Amino acid sequence: MQHDDDKFSSLEEVAEFLLERARELKQQVFSAHRLVTSHAKTKHAFKQLKAEYISKLDERYSCFIYKDSRKSEYQEIREQLQTVEFKPLPGEQTSQYSPESIPILFECPNQAVRVDVEDSEPDYSLSSSWTKGYHVFILLHGLGSSHANMIKIVNHIALVCENAEFVLPRGVNGDKSGQSLRASGKIIANEIIEYLDLHYNDEDIARISFISHSLGGVIARAVIPRLRKYHSKFYTFCSLATPHLGILTDNPLLKLGLWVFNLLKNSRSITELRLEDEADIEDSCLFELSEQRCFEYFEHVYLFSADSDYFSPSYSTRIQVGEEDLPNKETLYKMARNMFSN
């Protein structure tokens, strides 16, 4: 077929020529489209990978980077804090708590001391009696939350504790916190062990403390028996609004709220906190957890509660079964005794 526009002998040849050119143009357009699409996808994938890398880097190391970059500022604030005198609360605010009814006596807003040392003068100094090794703080968040929610606590501790290092496990972030407490404990324990083994020699760590919020405190108790090689280094256990004795309540609004939440999320951990995972409560996950050794490994145990917290009742957060009318009260007594005798 001739391709010179002046030498077409018929309309059929013109049509065939135009059709061939159309096919060539179509092929060129498709090739260009594939090239542009491939480049765009590669560029997008690269940007996405870069963003994920920076995010993971920030999650894992931001605490250390942030602390090191503001080291001089932290030191200046520490020196100022050394001159602050922390005074105990007035006697009438603590006298209602007797050694028989509560294991922890809160003597001032910033410091808590055990009842068994009430005859000695509490040390409110921020200075450390040790200088070698790191004080590793492990922070665990609550139900449906994220490790990022604990960053503010990290920053406050970094200001006053020069040797502080931080571990913020993310294995049960978001909806993953709805799985069983045993499963969460295993995941977090493995994550902590892997992190500590990767970043520290055994002699680098002087102390290990746990700070946990809500469900995180129960998960911490499931984690601790799995960290046998570090038990000798355990120093402080601090839980914030953690329902250690579960959530047994006759409050219709709370029961409705928990039922709706469980319906939407199908949360195994909520079922276990309500002590409804087994027909016999003494076979439940929380009861078995109360029989495991935990608090005895720590020099200090601080249990914080809030009367306005309807999700985590005060009797449960303080492990203090008092005069109030509670369902399965005898079982709660047993759980409380277990936790402070193991």
Side-chain angles (χ1 to χ4, degrees):
M1 183 184 69
Q2 297 176 342
H3 294 285
D4 189 338
D5 294 354
D6 296 330
K7 296 182 180 180
F8 292 116
S9 59
S10 66
L11 290 176
E12 287 78 5
E13 289 185 5
V14 174
E16 188 176 348
F17 172 77
L18 292 175
L19 185 59
E20 183 179 349
R21 287 299 174 89
R23 290 194 188 101
E24 291 176 359
L25 182 61
K26 176 183 176 182
Q27 186 62 37
Q28 291 173 3
V29 170
F30 282 160
S31 297
H33 179 267
R34 283 196 296 268
L35 182 63
V36 171
T37 302
S38 175
H39 177 71
K41 285 183 178 178
T42 303
K43 189 174 181 181
H44 176 71
F46 176 77
K47 287 178 66 176
Q48 188 174 2
L49 287 172
K50 183 179 179 182
E52 289 179 5
Y53 172 77
I54 292 174
S55 175
K56 289 184 179 298
L57 189 70
D58 182 62
E59 286 178 358
R60 182 165 286 258
Y61 298 110
S62 61
C63 303
F64 308 112
I65 295 170
Y66 182 68
K67 188 179 72 169
D68 291 341
S69 66
R70 305 186 67 178
K71 197 168 185 178
S72 59
E73 181 181 344
Y74 283 157
Q75 185 58 37
E76 182 179 343
I77 295 175
R78 284 193 201 100
E79 291 173 357
Q80 294 174 3
L81 288 172
Q82 295 294 339
T83 63
V84 176
E85 181 182 357
F86 295 116
K87 296 182 179 179
L89 290 171
E92 62 270 13
Q93 294 190 37
T94 59
S95 60
Q96 58 179 307
Y97 302 120
S98 64
E100 293 75 25
S101 64
I102 187 167
I104 302 297
L105 179 64
F106 297 91
E107 293 205 349
C108 85
N110 308 83
Q111 187 85 14
V113 295
R114 282 186 165 282
V115 171
D116 55 13
V117 296
E118 62 180 345
D119 295 331
S120 60
E121 184 65 25
D123 179 14
Y124 299 113
S125 169
L126 293 171
S127 62
S128 300
S129 58
W130 51 276
T131 56
K132 293 183 178 180
Y134 295 111
H135 188 162
V136 177
F137 290 85
I138 299 171
L139 295 93
L140 298 174
H141 59 79
L143 179 67
S145 187
S146 161
H147 66 282
N149 292 73
M150 309 300 282
I151 291 293
K152 285 187 177 180
I153 298 178
V154 167
N155 290 336
H156 284 296
I157 295 173
L159 283 172
V160 297
C161 187
E162 188 172 2
N163 291 355
E165 299 286 345
F166 305 94
V167 181
L168 285 77
R170 50 192 62 83
V172 294
N173 279 0
D175 290 341
K176 292 180 182 178
S177 61
Q179 62 191 321
S180 74
L181 297 173
R182 295 184 184 91
S184 294
K186 182 177 180 180
I187 291 170
I188 295 300
N190 290 339
E191 187 175 351
I192 291 171
I193 292 170
E194 180 182 355
Y195 186 90
L196 295 181
D197 288 348
L198 179 64
H199 292 88
Y200 306 99
N201 295 320
D202 187 60
E203 60 272 15
D204 293 337
I205 302 174
R207 292 173 173 174
I208 296 177
S209 292
F210 285 79
I211 299 178
S212 52
H213 172 243
S214 191
L215 177 69
V218 182
I219 294 176
R221 288 175 38 225
V223 167
I224 285 164
R226 296 178 177 273
L227 303 181
R228 294 182 183 88
K229 64 180 290 187
Y230 296 108
H231 283 174
S232 62
K233 299 178 184 293
F234 284 178
Y235 185 64
T236 295
F237 181 96
C238 174
S239 66
L240 312 171
T242 293
H244 293 287
L245 296 177
I247 306 171
L248 292 177
T249 178
D250 291 325
N251 185 320
L253 290 178
L254 178 56
K255 292 175 72 173
L256 177 62
L258 290 172
W259 180 82
V260 171
F261 184 89
N262 211 14
L263 181 67
L264 295 174
K265 297 291 186 178
N266 191 25
S267 173
R268 176 68 179 179
S269 58
I270 286 291
T271 301
E272 291 174 344
L273 287 179
R274 295 176 68 185
L275 299 170
E276 295 178 349
D277 51 310
E278 298 291 344
D280 186 343
I281 289 184
E282 296 197 14
D283 292 329
S284 68
C285 177
L286 271 189
F287 191 91
E288 289 183 1
L289 199 57
S290 75
E291 296 178 308
Q292 296 182 359
R293 299 168 67 183
C294 176
F295 295 150
E296 68 175 76
Y297 297 122
F298 295 91
E299 292 186 35
H300 305 283
V301 176
Y302 302 152
L303 311 173
F304 291 92
S305 66
D307 290 336
S308 58
D309 187 344
Y310 294 105
F311 180 78
S312 300
S314 294
Y315 77 85
S316 187
T317 53
R318 294 198 300 253
I319 315 179
Q320 177 191 7
V321 183
E323 300 300 323
E324 57 192 308
D325 187 24
L326 296 169
N328 296 290
K329 196 169 183 177
E330 269 309 311
T331 303
L332 296 180
Y333 271 127
K334 288 182 182 179
M335 291 172 64
R337 284 195 295 267
N338 288 342
M339 277 185 263
F340 286 102
S341 61
N342 291 325

